[in-house]
């Protein structure tokens, strides 16, 4: 691995439950999805860092809302999805593009992951095994389908699942506990899931972050990656939510059920 030891990822909490991700060494920083500029400016100041780049996954305000204010302070490239119109984006990206953040010694590749929004992208740091996936894959869940179809979202999630199991999943919200409460309803006999739910309950009670997750853990416990599993299909069939054996239909039904789950 060519990564300098000092390159790290720090969560900057914002709003009610967002994580803005600061990728930095001792000198430079890149920020992923700065929905708010103030906490980013504060983090840069307190650590003595210079902003080097802004990376966006999709157009929602809680992800891109701080861009203009940051650009007033810093003259930096703004990477973002080619398929969405976002104020300030200077480097539109699509699947297969590379982002070379030379000051940080960091290379990222881009995946198209439509579903939550139509042009949503994700960034993969292949050397570091880091994934920045915005609101596509969450710890224990996935994003709502605001602009895309279940078919698109299953294809997007399949790309993320193909990453190495030890890939760290830097998603954009602390939704894990409510996601896992739903997951256990969908798959009550999954013992890995029961263990994870208990751990996450304890972590949240202590006020700890449950992000990043890993691809391996998500594969074992996230119902939106496990909709082909017989155990989940049984839950959907026996509750009358599903009446055929189309896996995408199972995914769609699961996502709809989650929307109204309390
Ligand atoms: Zn969003
Ligand atoms: Fe969001």
């Amino acid at each position: 691995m060519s990564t300098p030891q000092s390159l790290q990822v720090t969560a900057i909490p914002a709003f009610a439950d967002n994580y803005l991700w600061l990728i930095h060494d001792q000198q430079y920083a890149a920020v992923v999805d700065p929905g708010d500029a103030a906490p980013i400016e504060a983090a840069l100041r307190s650590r003595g860092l210079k902003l080097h780049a802004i990376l966006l996954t999709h157009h929602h305000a809680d992800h891109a809302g701080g861009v203009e204010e940051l650009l007033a302070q810093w003259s930096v490239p703004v990477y973002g999805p080619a398929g969405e119109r976002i104020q300030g984006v200077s480097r539109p990206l699509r699947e297969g593009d590379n982002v070379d953040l030379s000051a940080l010694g960091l290379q990222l590749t881009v995946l198209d992951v439509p579903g939550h929004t139509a042009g949503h992208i994700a960034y993969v740091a292949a050397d570091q095994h880091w994934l920045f996936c915005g609101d596509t894959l969450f710890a224990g869940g996935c994003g709502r389908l605001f602009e895309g179809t279940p078919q698109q979202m299953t294809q997007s999630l399949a790309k993320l699942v193909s990453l190495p199991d030890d890939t760290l999943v830097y998603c954009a919200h602390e939704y894990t506990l409510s996601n896992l409460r739903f997951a256990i309803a969908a798959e009550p006999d999954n013992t890995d899931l029961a263990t994870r739910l208990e751990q996450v309950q304890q972590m949240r009670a202590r006020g700890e972050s449950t992000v990043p997750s890993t691809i391996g853990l998500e594969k074992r416990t996230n119902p939106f990656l496990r909709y082909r599993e017989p155990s989940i299909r049984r839950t959907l069939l026996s509750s009358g939510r599903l009446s055929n054996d189309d896996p995408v239909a199972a995914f769609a039904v699961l996502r709809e059920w989650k929307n109204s789950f309390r």
Side-chain angles (χ1 to χ4, degrees):
M1 234 174 266
S2 59
T3 315
Q5 201 87 46
S6 57
L7 197 60
Q8 54 181 282
V9 183
T10 300
I12 311 295
F15 310 117
D17 50 34
N18 280 72
Y19 293 125
L20 324 183
W21 296 109
L22 203 65
I23 311 169
H24 62 98
D25 56 18
Q26 316 303 336
Q27 254 193 302
Y28 293 101
V31 61
V32 183
D33 284 350
D36 192 2
I40 298 300
E41 290 288 6
L44 294 172
R45 217 176 305 121
S46 72
R47 292 162 193 268
L49 299 170
K50 294 186 193 69
L51 191 65
H52 179 62
I54 297 171
L55 303 158
L56 304 177
T57 62
H58 67 293
H59 67 83
H60 287 160
D62 63 313
H63 298 252
V67 169
E68 297 284 288
E69 207 177 317
L70 288 172
L71 286 178
Q73 294 301 317
W74 307 91
S75 178
V76 295
V78 181
Y79 298 88
E84 298 188 353
R85 297 172 81 87
I86 309 176
Q87 191 85 303
V89 169
S90 55
R91 308 282 182 91
L93 299 170
R94 50 183 85 253
E95 182 149 312
D97 285 345
N98 293 301
V99 176
D100 187 2
L101 301 179
S102 51
L104 287 166
L106 179 65
Q107 299 264 7
L108 300 163
T109 59
V110 175
L111 294 173
D112 282 333
V113 287
H116 177 67
T117 62
H120 201 303
I121 59 172
Y123 298 90
V124 177
D127 287 349
Q128 290 79 8
H129 292 201
W130 294 340
L131 167 67
F132 300 91
C133 53
D135 289 352
T136 298
L137 175 63
F138 289 125
C142 76
R144 280 180 190 251
L145 303 183
F146 286 121
E147 298 172 11
T149 64
Q151 178 80 51
Q152 284 178 316
M153 192 58 143
T154 54
Q155 287 168 354
S156 296
L157 292 172
K159 292 178 190 177
L160 305 184
V161 162
S162 73
L163 295 168
D165 277 0
D166 65 355
T167 302
L168 293 168
V169 178
Y170 292 98
C171 59
H173 291 271
E174 179 65 61
Y175 288 161
T176 318
L177 184 52
S178 67
N179 283 341
L180 294 180
R181 284 185 176 135
F182 171 75
I184 202 89
E187 197 179 13
D189 52 0
N190 181 335
T191 54
D192 287 337
L193 174 55
T195 303
R196 185 182 188 190
L197 174 57
E198 202 173 300
Q199 284 168 348
V200 162
Q201 276 167 334
Q202 290 167 3
M203 290 171 82
R204 294 307 293 152
R206 292 193 297 262
E208 293 170 16
S209 166
T210 65
V211 181
S213 171
T214 65
I215 289 292
L217 181 58
E218 294 310 315
K219 285 203 271 196
R220 294 195 301 278
T221 56
N222 187 327
F224 295 99
L225 305 179
R226 297 174 58 77
Y227 57 94
R228 291 168 188 273
E229 292 292 320
S231 53
I232 292 188
R233 304 189 55 75
R234 267 198 303 278
T235 307
L236 298 177
L237 288 165
S238 67
S239 61
R241 292 184 166 85
L242 186 67
S243 55
N244 61 40
D245 43 49
D246 173 21
V248 176
F251 179 89
V253 156
L254 208 52
R255 186 54 263 188
E256 268 168 45
W257 181 15
K258 171 72 167 70
N259 290 345
S260 60
F261 185 80
R262 293 285 175 275

